[in-house]
């Protein structure tokens, strides 16, 4: 165009091309200031351009506030408004990065809640804590209401008995995203991974356990009080860990699978795998007086 003496607009009109498609994008001005502005905004994520201008002025960088606002917007540093949480509570953020499968016991725990009702209609909740590798039920916390503080106390008691995990996985429930959980993760340094909203398959280990827990325990029992529910559910947890065979461990119990994975030397693992299950009387986790009576073949009442 310059060789033939045509203006850019005239040349574009002759070839029927929009001038915007051939114009060269302008070079970004003040690259040093832009870089320093990005660095300060990264350190002070909730600062707007006015406060950043004060920090720049302390370093001897002064400019018109309109130009600084333009640079601030062009760099995409606008402070985003946070959505307001219920009752103004601060929630934990955690990490949403993809996680890998655990390669040993006590590497990753999963948390989730199960709800049920007593015989007279009062609802209660159960906090399930599962070791994802060993498939072991570490704790089943039963209470009428379980908040963030109750979750933290249960985790502290479990860590004192079992040891620290490398990571904890949970959904985005209000109890697990509360300020108490956020302060606990900051204090302990344990990683907390939140699954994507509406994706319970990302927490499949504890979801699978809760299905067995409801099918084999909650749906089979009627509880008259929280004390009775705690006793029966704790006996079922011990039966699940120590007696019930698990397909993930080729018929071994979760406790035996954890011991084998931890490197314990068993004299004859095949014999342990082929060992017959305990008799019906030994393998039952119920005790007389804690369940509803059922009828035997003769029709007489007998405690389960």
């Amino acid at each position: 165009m310059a060789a033939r003496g045509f203006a850019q607009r005239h040349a574009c009109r002759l070839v029927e091309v929009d001038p915007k498609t051939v114009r060269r994008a302008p070079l970004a001005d003040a690259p040093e200031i832009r870089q320093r502005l990005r660095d300060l905004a990264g350190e002070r994520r909730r600062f707007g351009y006015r406060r950043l201008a004060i920090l720049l002025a302390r370093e001897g960088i002064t400019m018109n506030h309109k130009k600084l606002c333009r640079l601030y917007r062009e760099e995409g540093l606008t402070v985003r408004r946070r959505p307001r949480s219920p009752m103004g509570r601060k929630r934990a953020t955690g990490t949403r990065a993809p996680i890998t499968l655990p390669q040993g016991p006590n590497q990753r725990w999963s948390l989730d809640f199960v709800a049920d009702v007593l015989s007279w209609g009062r609802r209660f909740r159960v906090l399930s804590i599962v070791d994802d590798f060993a498939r072991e039920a570490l704790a089943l916390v039963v209470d009428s209401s379980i908040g963030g503080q109750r979750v933290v106390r249960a985790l502290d008691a479990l860590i004192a008995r079992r040891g620290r995990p490398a990571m904890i996985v949970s959904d985005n429930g209000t109890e697990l995203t509360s300020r108490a959980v956020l302060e606990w993760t900051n204090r302990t340094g344990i990683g907390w991974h939140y699954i994507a909203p509406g994706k319970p398959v990302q927490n499949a280990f504890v979801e699978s356990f809760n299905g067995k827990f409801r099918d084999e325990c909650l749906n089979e029992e009627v509880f008259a009080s929280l004390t009775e529910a705690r006793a029966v559910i704790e006996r079922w947890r011990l039966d699940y860990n120590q007696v019930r065979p698990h397909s993930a461990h080729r018929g071994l119990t979760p406790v035996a699978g954890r011991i084998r994975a931890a490197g314990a030397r068993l004299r004859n693992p095949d014999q342990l795998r082929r060992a017959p299950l305990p008799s019906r009387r030994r393998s039952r986790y119920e005790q007389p007086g804690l369940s509803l009576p059922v009828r035997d073949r003769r029709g007489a009442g007998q405690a389960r």
Side-chain angles (χ1 to χ4, degrees):
M1 293 183 296
R4 297 182 178 274
F6 289 143
Q8 185 184 59
R9 188 182 299 274
H10 187 196
C12 291
R13 190 183 302 113
L14 292 176
V15 296
E16 298 181 354
V17 174
D18 193 335
K20 297 180 181 180
T21 62
V22 297
R23 288 175 182 172
R24 185 175 58 181
L27 297 178
D29 56 336
E32 297 82 4
I33 299 178
R34 290 174 181 267
Q35 181 61 40
R36 186 54 185 161
L37 191 62
R38 287 195 299 267
D39 295 341
L40 290 176
E43 298 173 2
R44 311 281 184 172
R45 294 184 298 175
R46 306 304 300 176
F47 277 18
Y49 76 94
R50 291 183 177 88
R51 284 193 173 90
L52 294 178
I54 297 175
L55 298 180
L56 290 175
R58 293 177 181 176
E59 301 178 1
I61 304 175
T62 58
M63 65 174 58
N64 185 277
H65 70 280
K66 296 181 180 180
K67 181 177 180 180
L68 181 62
C69 181
R70 177 177 61 81
L71 299 179
Y72 182 80
R73 292 179 179 274
E74 289 178 357
E75 294 298 323
L77 303 177
T78 306
V79 178
R80 292 179 175 85
R81 188 187 183 110
R82 290 176 175 170
R84 180 172 298 182
S85 59
M87 300 177 63
R89 293 178 296 181
K90 184 178 180 181
R91 295 185 176 182
T93 54
T95 174
R96 296 186 184 275
I99 56 177
T100 58
L101 293 176
Q103 302 301 319
N106 223 35
Q107 290 186 1
R108 194 176 76 194
W109 295 354
S110 295
L111 278 64
D112 199 8
F113 289 94
V114 182
D116 203 3
V117 295
L118 300 178
S119 59
W120 46 280
R122 182 178 182 180
R123 296 182 62 84
F124 67 92
R125 307 183 73 191
V126 183
L127 172 63
S128 305
I129 306 178
V130 178
D131 188 307
D132 290 355
F133 179 84
R135 312 296 202 275
E136 185 177 359
L138 303 180
L140 291 174
V141 182
V142 182
D143 212 331
S144 57
S145 177
I146 303 178
Q149 293 288 350
R150 187 73 171 89
V151 172
V152 168
R153 291 200 304 269
L155 290 175
D156 286 336
L158 184 58
I159 289 175
R161 184 178 73 251
R162 175 92 176 191
R164 291 165 51 93
M167 178 175 289
I168 295 177
V169 183
S170 72
D171 57 14
N172 297 268
T174 56
E175 305 87 355
L176 304 176
T177 58
S178 61
R179 179 175 298 179
V181 173
L182 175 63
E183 295 175 351
W184 184 83
T185 54
N186 293 336
R187 173 170 54 86
T188 59
I190 297 176
W192 198 295
H193 177 87
Y194 291 104
I195 64 174
K199 300 291 184 179
V201 69
Q202 297 181 5
N203 205 12
F205 293 101
V206 71
E207 292 288 349
S208 176
F209 169 80
N210 286 341
K212 300 180 180 68
F213 174 45
R214 182 173 295 280
D215 181 60
E216 300 177 10
C217 181
L218 297 181
N219 291 347
E220 294 291 325
E221 301 290 341
V222 178
F223 310 109
S225 63
L226 285 178
T227 303
E228 177 182 339
R230 292 189 182 104
V232 174
I233 289 174
E234 179 61 20
R235 284 198 298 272
W236 182 87
R237 185 185 72 86
L238 297 177
D239 179 86
Y240 180 89
N241 292 335
Q242 302 174 8
V243 179
R244 184 185 186 278
H246 205 291
S247 59
H249 300 296
R250 299 182 181 180
L252 294 179
T253 63
V255 172
R258 171 172 57 85
I259 294 176
R260 185 181 64 174
R265 295 183 179 180
L266 300 177
R267 295 183 178 179
N268 193 348
D270 295 332
Q271 183 179 0
L272 178 61
R273 186 180 299 112
R274 293 193 299 267
L277 295 176
S279 63
R280 181 178 180 84
R281 185 176 299 275
R282 290 180 55 195
S283 63
R284 299 290 289 180
Y285 62 88
E286 300 92 339
Q287 291 184 2
L290 293 179
S291 304
L292 291 181
V294 296
R295 298 286 179 178
D296 56 9
R297 295 180 181 178
R298 301 177 184 177
Q302 183 179 0
R304 300 183 59 185

